[in-house]
């Protein structure tokens, strides 16, 4: 066994084998995989192994397409062919119009990735799958590339190709410990000796946290028992003369695919069970949980109604084994938060179908620092300090119970709520707040007009449309107040903090005390890594001279990793997180200055506190740090208050606002207003796939200074733009264009929507989209596929509301 290698992948299931193979494809051939037992001896061996193109976003569709293409290549390998039933087709059923609208959106989204889905009616579903009934059925989504694959031969084929490229695989080799050295390299201690390596990868399936504990981390991954059975031969299948399509049924919570001349049926029962919360038997390998068909009786009855032929055949065998879930159901693939040279590929509940693509994207991150797609949707750092076993279990149960029921844009499911709250959360709830969730934080979405008010899950504008419009009007014409909790906030101190930040940002960032600036961080490929507000505070009785770095609520772990990884040993810079210590109150609108003057002894005139200023003061008697910035486009103040003083500051502001018609506003109003102003959202409009010039951020780039990513950016500039972010005006009043919707020129996809919303102040349906440069000129007309309808759209200027910024500077 080697004692030195470049990377050690721990775990021999689909995740580990795919990562090992793809590392060799990216040029790292001096790599090894260690497996405590035999390859595929964990969850992989008993997987139902369905391989679909369906995904909730373009990254997932892209990685699944890679899996399908790879599996076809492996199937056709004459030396070691893999059993892969590709192209059987698959149908996701629906019995509501809202579900059908969702399918139309997913079809539009997938088209931008070169994948064609088909939305079909109930009769066509039955024609393509003659075993199903059309009772209580509207239609479905057809995926012509759906199929299934043999798990064992797939993993063996990947390992075989990796070995041929130079990798080594050590079976029956248990990892007993992990030690990180001062240079951030690792020692992997095993039952057969130690291996020194640059990079370690946790690909340990349901044993993920056994290995995580060895490096002092905990991953929000939980296992659920999952049952399926295989039937005896079904006459309808024998007589059909062709393989049956796969079926996924959100109506009755089951799936099925052909297995020889019968069916394999899997169940997502409501009475589901977690597994392994109190530890896993070391001897549990190539093993299963006890059968428990009684708890799937209700699901089975629904399957009988949908497929009456099932009542005429017996069961050959039953499988009940653990599968892994995360808090939001998507895997964790990428850097491990707070660790250097440590990665994971875990929580793959659909591992066989997706594993080829996940290993591909992870290998790119390890070797090149970034993948070809923005991978935030699977990034382990998208969850922060609130995650634990108990919360993960609650969300895993909820996801399991809703396996085939996708999230609507306006749907907020109840499990695991109140994970992060502030002293104002119960106060705002009592006032009628409807909450959304941002990285675990309960944030006001809008204020309900009555206690029994509710919205219907939908991709269209919902019952809150006019309510949000009233909140926007209050901000535009008088004054509004909002709590913005969870906003990422770092405090940087030390003599070198300004030079450090200057190196990190691609543009000039103010170093003047009392001033605020906005800037962008690039990765080593010259593309957008992050967006941050920088505020310089002079020394005071609250602390030394310091700089506040503020970014998106979800960016806490991501940005800390990025900043710390670029700190030089000789730099005097300290970074401390204040994210969970303070909360922001935003006061916005033409009467905002009057409110501030009523609660603070400071001078809030335009001359004393102009736009992009920062000062420490008191709001009432609550200590506060106030920034003169605006995400709404109106005169606004961002008031940062310690959580211990938050309620008193809120009461003072509300009392002062009575005379000026102050109204609460929430996240929906903010999103509408930022769309009108041309302000961008991190990981919706700001992605690692595009550089700042393609994103329309030219004014924030200074090529006459050095910064991280500059050489790559210069090379991209020389090569020319591949896309351009534009603002679109849609000729539609019933639905926004959701992220992923395809921009169409005839039958050709020329762009993809990143975000969309109704602009109440301008009376327009707005969307942002990356389009081909030839389609980026103002006035260019094309269509956007919104829920299956071609909606006329025109390119308009970014920031259609108050383009001169007069209102926010007032």
């Amino acid at each position: 066994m080697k004692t030195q290698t470049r990377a050690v992948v721990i775990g021999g299931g689909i995740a580990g084998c795919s990562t090992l193979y793809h590392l060799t494809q990216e040029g790292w051939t001096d790599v090894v995989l260690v497996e405590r037992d035999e390859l595929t001896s964990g969850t992989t061996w008993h997987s139902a192994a369905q391989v679909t193109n369906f995904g909730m976003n373009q990254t997932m569709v892209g990685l699944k397409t890679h899996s399908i293409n790879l599996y076809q290549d492996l199937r056709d390998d004459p030396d070691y062919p893999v059993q892969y039933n590709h192209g059987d087709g698959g149908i996701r059923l629906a019995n509501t119009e809202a579900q059908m609208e969702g399918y139309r959106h997913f079809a539009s989204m997938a088209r931008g990735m070169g994948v064609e889905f088909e939305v079909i009616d109930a009769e066509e579903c039955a024609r393509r799958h003659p075993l199903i009934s059309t009772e209580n059925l509207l239609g479905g989504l057809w995926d012509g590339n759906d199929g299934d694959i043999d798990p064992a031969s797939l993993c063996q084929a990947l390992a075989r190709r990796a070995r041929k490229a130079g990798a080594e695989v050590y079976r029956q080799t248990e990892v007993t410990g992990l030690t990180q050295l001062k240079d951030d390299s690792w020692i992997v201690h095993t039952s057969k000796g130690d291996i020194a390596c640059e990079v370690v990868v946790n690909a340990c399936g349901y044993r993920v946290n056994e290995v995580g504990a060895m490096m002092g981390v905990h991953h929000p991954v939980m296992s659920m028992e999952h049952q399926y059975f295989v039937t005896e031969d079904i006459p309808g299948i024998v007589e059909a003369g062709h393989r049956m399509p796969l079926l996924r049924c959100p109506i009755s919570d089951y799936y099925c695919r052909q297995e020889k001349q019968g069916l394999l049926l899997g169940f997502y029962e409501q009475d589901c069970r977690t597994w392994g919360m109190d530890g896993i038997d070391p001897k549990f390998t190539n093993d299963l949980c006890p059968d428990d068909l009684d708890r799937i009786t209700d699901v089975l009855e629904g399957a009988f109604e949908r497929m009456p032929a099932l009542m005429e055949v017996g069961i050959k065998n039953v499988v009940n084994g653990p599968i892994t879930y995360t808090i939001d159901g998507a895997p964790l693939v990428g850097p491990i938060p707070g660790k250097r040279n440590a990665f994971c590929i875990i929580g793959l509940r659909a591992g066989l179908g997706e594993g080829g693509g996940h290993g591909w994207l992870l290998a790119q991150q390890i070797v090149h620092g970034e993948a070809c797609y923005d991978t935030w949707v699977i990034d382990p750092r998208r969850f922060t300090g609130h995650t634990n076993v108990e919360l993960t279990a609650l969300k895993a149960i909820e996801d399991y119970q809703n396996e085939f029921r996708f999230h609507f844009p306006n749907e907020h499911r109840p499990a695991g709520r109140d994970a992060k709250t502030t002293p104002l959360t119960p106060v705002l709830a009592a006032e009628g707040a409807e909450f959304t969730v941002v990285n675990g934080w309960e944030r006001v979405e809008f204020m309900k007009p009555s206690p029994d008010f509710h919205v219907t899950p939908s991709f269209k504008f919902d019952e809150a449309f006019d309510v949000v419009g009233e909140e926007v009007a209050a901000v535009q014409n008088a004054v509004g107040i909002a709590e913005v909790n969870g906003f990422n906030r770092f405090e940087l101190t030390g003599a070198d903090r300004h030079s450090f930040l200057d190196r990190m940002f691609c543009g000039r960032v103010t170093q003047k005390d009392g001033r605020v600036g906005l800037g962008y961080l690039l990765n080593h490929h010259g593309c957008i890594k992050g967006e941050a507000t920088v505020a310089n505070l002079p020394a005071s009785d609250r602390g030394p001279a310091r700089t506040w770095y503020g970014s998106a609520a979800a960016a806490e772990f991501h940005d800390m990793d990025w900043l710390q990884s670029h700190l030089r040993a000789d730099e005097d810079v300290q970074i401390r997180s204040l994210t969970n210590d303070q909360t922001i109150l935003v006061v916005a609108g033409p009467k905002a200055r009057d409110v501030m003057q009523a609660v603070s002894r400071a001078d809030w005139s335009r001359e004393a506190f102009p736009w992009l200023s920062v000062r420490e003061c008191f709001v009432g008697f609550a200590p506060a740090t106030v920034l003169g910035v605006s995400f709404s486009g109106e005169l606004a103040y961002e008031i940062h208050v310690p959580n211990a003083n938050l309620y008193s500051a809120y009461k003072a502001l509300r009392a002062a606002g009575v005379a000026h018609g102050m109204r609460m506003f929430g996240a929906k109003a903010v999103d509408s207003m930022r769309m009108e102003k041309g302000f961008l959202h991190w990981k919706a409009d700001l992605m690692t796939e595009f550089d700042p010039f393609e994103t329309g951020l030219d004014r924030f780039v200074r090529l006459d200074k050095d910064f991280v990513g500059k050489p790559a950016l210069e090379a991209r500039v020389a090569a020319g733009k591949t896309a351009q972010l534009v603002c679109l005006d849609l000729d539609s009043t019933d639905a926004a264009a959701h992220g992923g919707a395809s921009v169409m020129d005839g039958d050709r996809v020329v762009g993809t929507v990143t975000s969309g919303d109704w602009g109440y102040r301008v009376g327009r349906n707005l969307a942002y989209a990356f389009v081909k440069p030839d389609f980026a000129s103002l006035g260019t007309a094309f269509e956007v596929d919104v829920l299956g309808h071609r909606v006329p759209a025109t390119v308009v200027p970014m920031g259609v509301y108050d383009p001169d910024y007069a209102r926010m500077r007032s």
Side-chain angles (χ1 to χ4, degrees), residues 72-270:
Q72 286 181 286
D73 181 50
L74 294 171
R75 177 199 62 191
D76 298 336
D77 186 335
D79 296 326
Y80 195 92
V82 172
Q83 177 60 40
Y84 177 30
N85 296 309
H86 169 258
D88 291 346
I91 309 173
R92 292 174 184 270
L93 302 179
N95 66 340
T96 69
E97 183 55 36
Q99 288 173 310
M100 294 295 287
E101 287 172 352
Y103 289 160
R104 294 184 188 104
H105 168 67
F106 296 133
S108 174
M109 178 266 295
R111 190 177 300 117
M113 300 300 290
V115 173
E116 291 295 331
F117 291 149
E118 187 179 354
V119 180
I120 57 180
D121 61 22
E123 287 69 28
E124 184 62 18
C125 289
R127 190 189 71 78
R128 299 187 187 190
H129 199 308
L131 296 183
I132 68 171
S133 163
T134 59
E135 184 71 22
N136 187 30
L137 184 65
L138 277 184
L141 182 70
W142 172 263
D143 173 6
N145 283 308
D146 218 337
D148 66 272
I149 196 165
D150 174 57
S153 63
L154 169 60
C155 291
Q156 293 290 351
L158 291 169
R160 174 178 174 273
R161 286 195 175 186
R163 288 190 188 100
K164 288 181 68 176
E168 297 190 14
V169 176
Y170 305 136
R171 298 171 295 112
Q172 300 294 330
T173 305
E174 183 177 0
V175 173
T176 58
L178 295 168
T179 301
Q180 190 163 30
L181 306 181
K182 291 183 178 180
D183 64 355
D184 293 325
S185 66
W186 292 87
I187 303 293
V188 180
H189 307 285
T190 81
S191 56
K192 295 182 179 177
D194 293 348
I195 309 174
C197 60
E198 298 173 27
V199 169
V200 65
V201 179
N202 186 343
C204 292
Y206 52 70
R207 295 191 184 273
V208 53
N209 278 311
E210 294 178 9
V211 173
M214 297 177 188
M215 62 174 68
V217 299
H218 174 81
H219 301 285
V221 175
M222 172 52 56
S223 295
M224 300 291 297
E225 288 188 20
H226 177 60
Q227 292 188 98
Y228 66 78
F229 63 64
V230 178
T231 73
E232 296 174 342
D233 291 357
I234 296 176
I237 293 177
V238 176
E239 297 162 3
H242 62 81
R243 288 184 60 81
M244 288 288 154
L246 288 81
L247 201 68
R248 296 170 182 87
C249 182
I251 307 166
S252 301
D253 298 309
Y254 80 98
Y255 63 88
C256 69
R257 66 167 176 81
Q258 186 168 333
E259 180 69 14
K260 296 183 179 179
Q261 297 299 317
L263 288 175
L264 182 154
L265 275 85
F267 306 94
Y268 290 95
E269 69 280 4
Q270 297 302 296

Side-chain angles (χ1 to χ4, degrees), residues 742-754:
S742 288
V743 180
M744 307 294 296
D745 177 46
D747 292 331
R748 183 165 61 121
V749 177
V750 296
T752 297
V753 169
T754 58

Side-chain angles (χ1 to χ4, degrees), residues 73 216 249 251 309 316 321 350 485 493 527 607:
D73 181 50
C249 182
I251 307 166
K316 279 186 177 180
N485 49 22
T493 54
C527 293
E607 295 72 25

